[in-house]
Amino acid sequence: MATSTLIQFLDAGEAADTSNRSQNETFYAGGAIAAGDWVSLDTSQTGADKALYVIQTTAAAGQGNVVGVALDTAAAGAQVRVTIAGYVASANVVNGTAAGASLTTSGATAGRALTYATGTHTGTGPCGLALTAAGASNTAETWVFKRF
């Protein structure tokens, strides 16, 4: 079900699940997905199902079609909520990512974002912003850029 961006919840200090300028959509998992994974459209599906299913981003798949960050862990075929725009409390990023870094998903680790570098990641573009530095857990608070 599509979420509305017409009414925003503007109460400071609320949980990340409230609207607070975020937009979440429900998809089907095209494969195993962990909470916090960056996901892309599953172009292996047939017809319009390409926009109904998502998979973990990888170096080979999802460089140009990043949808957002999975909020739930899901097995193949299960429904998964995805933040397609806005705040995510714990998104998978490369260890050592600095706060304020633009993020892209053309890295070698499935579902994990890395720092975007102009000229290095041609054709991918940034898909988010690290709001905090990533530590040993390979997670950071992030802002997802709306691309879907």
Side-chain angles (χ1 to χ4, degrees), residues 37-63:
D37 280 349
W38 289 82
V39 296
S40 60
L41 297 175
D42 184 358
T43 57
S44 72
Q45 299 294 324
T46 303
D49 283 356
K50 288 177 174 67
L52 185 61
Y53 285 80
V54 292
I55 56 172
Q56 292 176 316
T57 58
T58 65
Q63 293 185 3

Side-chain angles (χ1 to χ4, degrees), residues 72-133:
D72 311 306
T73 297
Q79 290 186 358
V80 60
R81 291 179 311 135
V82 176
T83 296
I84 63 167
Y87 175 81
V88 175
S90 184
N92 293 335
V93 296
V94 171
N95 183 15
T97 300
S102 290
L103 301 172
T104 191
T105 59
S106 61
T109 303
R112 189 171 294 163
L114 68 155
T115 301
Y116 174 78
T118 305
T120 303
H121 300 109
T122 56
T124 60
C127 59
L129 177 73
L131 299 174
T132 59

Side-chain angles (χ1 to χ4, degrees), residues 10 17 21 27-28 30 65 75-76 100 113 119 127:
L10 297 175
D17 282 345
R21 294 189 169 87
F27 294 88
Y28 285 109
N65 65 6
C127 59

